[in-house]
């Protein structure tokens, strides 16, 4: 019995094998926690200033264009320059934008337009940063540990996003928006210090400068791979139809449960956290496409139920189940991406991935806000969930190779595994011939980072 329970515990192999993974894990926990404070405070502040669900949903429209443009450029940039420098610079920029939110919140009469300007700026910097972060994971974690790394990263995110929204709701209610933004600034300051300790992650010597041609090359590769297309399309559809977070303040009002707002934002993360804490079994899964499809369908069903029920506790339970489904789908997507995409294209494909899992929620915010204005809040939620399930079903029929994907037999997976093993052998030979020969791997990386 104990051995069966222990098999459910998260696989810690990536934590043990990579110093850079440990640094990124801690940095991400700090960033997610502090960013969640601003994530809650910002739409609440727009709601208080306007009282309009459409105005809150418009935040997604403002964020969309910068995310698309800078996400694609950030992917090309990640293949052309040192990824550590990209991460460090964008993290510092995000901290500065949080400072602008704090200054605006301290005004006697806070202004509305700076909130949209900062939201657009955050979207642009996030678009630049995420391809570098995501493509770095494929380099520092062994091929066979990618699912475990994705589970640990998701677990980290859930821990921050559970505590962040729950505390943000209390902080904003009792002290106002400014303290929430202050916590965000402090979190980014710590994150910058941690990112500075990462080992260099330079591009290949023959890497091309960021260009439209390079971006197009990545897009052509993605288009030629039905498995990748399936991961992008299913996530985009699921988030577009069933991402109602932006109208949670109005859902709480409709359920006569204003006190539940922070719990609504945190409930999905609770479900993901439970799945993450029992994710050991996912390291043994080879059919990752089934995780993508099943998790996305489960997300849609749970969101539909959350909009249908009128009891706030049942709504919170459904949101928790939705979070578990979303995490399951995310584990499948991240594993497929990191196990199949060649290193020389990893940044550009990570830029496309940013669009697949970020544009959907941004458009979903707009859809939810518009639908809530037309049909009411609860109807906007449950109809979106139903549309999500239908779209996932249709896409899985259209792209059957996603359902049959097997990491042990897929040609791209086997090619990427061989590429990574070759790179590790080359690095081992180089290190053995260099001044740091004989040092453990983590110490050699530290020496390389300080050379």
């Amino acid at each position: 019995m104990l051995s069966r329970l222990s098999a459910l515990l998260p696989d810690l192999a990536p934590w043990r094998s990579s110093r850079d993974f440990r640094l990124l894990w801690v940095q991400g926990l700090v960033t997610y926690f502090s960013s969640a404070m601003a994530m809650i405070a910002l739409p609440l502040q727009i709601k208080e200033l306007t009282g309009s669900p459409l105005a809150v949903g418009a935040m997604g429209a403002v964020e969309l264009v910068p995310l698309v443009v800078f996400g694609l450029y950030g992917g090309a940039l990640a293949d052309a320059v040192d990824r550590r420098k990209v991460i460090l610079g964008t993290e510092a920029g995000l901290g500065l934008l949080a400072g602008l939110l704090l200054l605006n919140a301290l005004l006697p009469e806070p202004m509305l337009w700076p909130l949209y300007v900062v939201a657009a700026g955050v979207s642009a910097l996030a678009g630049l940063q995420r391809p570098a972060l995501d493509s770095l994971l494929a380099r520092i974690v062994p091929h066979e540990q990618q699912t475990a790394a994705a589970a640990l990263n998701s677990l980290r995110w859930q821990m921050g996003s559970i505590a962040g929204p729950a505390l943000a709701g209390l902080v904003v209610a009792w002290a106002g928006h400014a303290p929430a933004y202050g916590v965000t600034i402090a979190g980014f300051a710590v994150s910058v210090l941690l990112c500075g300790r990462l080992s260099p992650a330079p591009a290949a010597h023959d890497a091309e400068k960021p260009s439209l041609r390079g971006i197009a090359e990545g897009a052509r590769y993605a288009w030629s791979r039905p498995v990748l297309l399936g991961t992008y399309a299913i996530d985009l559809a699921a988030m577009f139809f069933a991402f109602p977070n932006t109208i949670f303040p109005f859902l709480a009002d409709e359920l006569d449960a204003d006190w539940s707002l922070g719990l609504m934002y945190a409930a999905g993360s609770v479900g993901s956290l439970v799945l993450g804490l029992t994710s050991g079994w996912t390291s043994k899964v080879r059919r990752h496409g089934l995780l993508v499809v099943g998790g996305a369908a489960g997300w849609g069903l749970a969101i539909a139920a959350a909009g249908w029920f009128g009891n706030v506790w049942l709504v919170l339970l459904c949101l928790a189940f939705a979070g578990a489904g979303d995490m399951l789908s995310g584990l499948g997507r991240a594993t497929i991406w990191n196990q199949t995409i060649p290193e020389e294209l990893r940044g550009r494909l990570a830029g496309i991935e940013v669009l697949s899992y970020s544009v959907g929620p941004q458009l979903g915010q707009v859809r939810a806000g518009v639908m809530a204005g037309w049909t009411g809040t609860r109807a906007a939620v449950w109809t979106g969930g139903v549309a999500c399930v239908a779209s996932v079903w249709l896409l899985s029929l259209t792209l059957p190779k996603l359902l049959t994907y097997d990491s042990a037999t897929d040609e791209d997976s086997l090619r990427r595994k061989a590429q990574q093993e070759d790179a590790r052998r080359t690095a081992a030979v180089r290190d053995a011939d260099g001044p740091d020969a004989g040092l453990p791997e983590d110490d050699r990386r530290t020496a390389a980072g300080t050379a």
Side-chain angles (χ1 to χ4, degrees), residues 66-250:
L67 185 65
V68 172
V69 173
F70 288 92
L72 290 174
Y73 180 77
L77 190 67
D79 282 335
V81 302
D82 190 322
R83 292 167 185 172
R84 180 186 66 168
K85 294 181 179 178
V86 176
I87 296 169
L88 189 60
T90 51
E91 202 73 358
L94 289 168
L96 292 176
L97 290 178
L100 295 179
L101 289 176
L102 175 60
L103 291 176
N104 184 62
L106 293 174
L107 294 175
E109 295 184 5
M111 296 178 288
L112 178 62
W113 67 265
L115 303 183
Y116 291 114
V117 171
V118 170
V122 169
S123 184
L125 288 175
L128 283 176
Q129 182 188 79
R130 286 306 297 267
L133 273 173
D134 292 348
S135 58
L136 186 59
L137 185 66
R139 176 182 291 190
I140 65 177
V141 175
H143 184 273
E144 65 277 4
Q145 296 177 9
Q146 289 297 329
T147 304
L152 290 174
N153 277 343
S154 184
L155 187 61
R156 168 199 64 184
W157 187 86
Q158 306 308 336
M159 291 168 62
S161 59
I162 289 172
L167 289 177
L170 295 175
V171 169
V172 173
W174 291 97
H177 303 89
Y181 297 140
V183 172
T184 301
I185 296 171
F188 279 118
V190 174
S191 178
V192 167
L193 294 176
L194 291 170
C195 289
R197 298 187 60 200
L198 289 170
S199 302
H205 294 297
D206 57 350
E208 298 180 1
K209 293 182 179 180
S211 65
L212 291 176
R213 188 179 71 174
I215 294 173
E217 181 184 0
R220 284 194 297 270
Y221 179 86
W223 186 259
S224 69
R225 298 300 191 274
V227 174
L228 291 180
L229 279 180
T231 64
Y232 302 148
I234 284 180
D235 187 50
L236 183 64
M239 293 298 103
F240 173 74
F241 288 114
F243 191 78
N245 293 31
T246 193
I247 57 175
F248 279 170
F250 302 93

Side-chain angles (χ1 to χ4, degrees), residues 114-446:
L115 303 183
Y116 291 114
V117 171
V118 170
V122 169
S123 184
L125 288 175
L128 283 176
Q129 182 188 79
R130 286 306 297 267
L133 273 173
D134 292 348
S135 58
L136 186 59
L137 185 66
R139 176 182 291 190
I140 65 177
V141 175
H143 184 273
E144 65 277 4
Q145 296 177 9
Q146 289 297 329
T147 304
L152 290 174
N153 277 343
S154 184
L155 187 61
R156 168 199 64 184
W157 187 86
Q158 306 308 336
M159 291 168 62
S161 59
I162 289 172
L167 289 177
L170 295 175
V171 169
V172 173
W174 291 97
H177 303 89
Y181 297 140
V183 172
T184 301
I185 296 171
F188 279 118
V190 174
S191 178
V192 167
L193 294 176
L194 291 170
C195 289
R197 298 187 60 200
L198 289 170
S199 302
H205 294 297
D206 57 350
E208 298 180 1
K209 293 182 179 180
S211 65
L212 291 176
R213 188 179 71 174
I215 294 173
E217 181 184 0
R220 284 194 297 270
Y221 179 86
W223 186 259
S224 69
R225 298 300 191 274
V227 174
L228 291 180
L229 279 180
T231 64
Y232 302 148
I234 284 180
D235 187 50
L236 183 64
M239 293 298 103
F240 173 74
F241 288 114
F243 191 78
N245 293 31
T246 193
I247 57 175
F248 279 170
F250 302 93
L251 181 61
D253 288 345
E254 193 164 319
L255 295 174
D256 294 323
D258 292 343
W259 53 268
S260 69
L261 179 59
L263 296 178
M264 286 184 181
Y265 282 109
S269 297
V270 171
S272 296
L273 178 63
V274 172
L275 185 64
L277 291 173
T278 57
S279 63
W281 61 274
T282 61
S283 294
K284 301 177 178 62
V285 172
R286 301 188 326 192
R287 302 282 298 278
H288 301 105
L290 293 177
L291 298 184
V292 175
V293 174
W299 157 270
L301 284 172
I303 291 295
W308 185 261
F309 289 124
N311 181 284
V312 66
W313 292 109
L314 288 177
V315 170
L316 293 173
L317 182 62
C318 290
L319 293 176
F321 277 110
D326 185 44
M327 179 177 175
L328 193 63
S329 183
L331 291 182
R333 293 194 307 272
T335 303
I336 290 173
W337 295 340
N338 289 332
Q339 285 189 344
T340 63
I341 298 172
E343 171 64 21
E344 64 273 13
L345 292 173
R346 190 66 192 90
R348 278 164 284 181
L349 271 293
I352 295 175
E353 291 153 20
V354 167
L355 302 187
S356 78
Y357 61 67
S358 298
V359 171
Q362 304 307 327
L363 291 176
Q365 291 186 82
V366 178
R367 184 212 67 84
V370 172
M371 286 295 295
W374 288 348
T375 65
T377 302
R378 289 175 58 190
V381 175
W382 73 259
T383 55
V386 172
C388 168
V389 175
S391 63
V392 168
W393 177 68
L394 288 174
L395 287 169
S396 63
L397 293 179
T398 305
L399 299 165
K401 286 191 175 181
L402 178 62
L403 291 175
T404 59
Y405 172 84
D406 188 326
S407 62
T409 59
D410 181 80
E411 291 183 2
D412 290 326
S413 176
L414 295 175
R415 187 180 302 113
R416 173 63 186 131
K417 183 177 182 180
Q419 184 185 48
Q420 190 179 55
E421 290 174 349
D422 288 343
R424 288 184 177 276
R425 282 194 294 267
T426 301
V429 171
R430 183 181 64 246
D431 290 342
D433 294 337
D436 300 315
L439 290 176
E441 180 183 358
D442 284 351
D443 291 339
R444 290 199 299 272
R445 288 178 178 171
T446 302

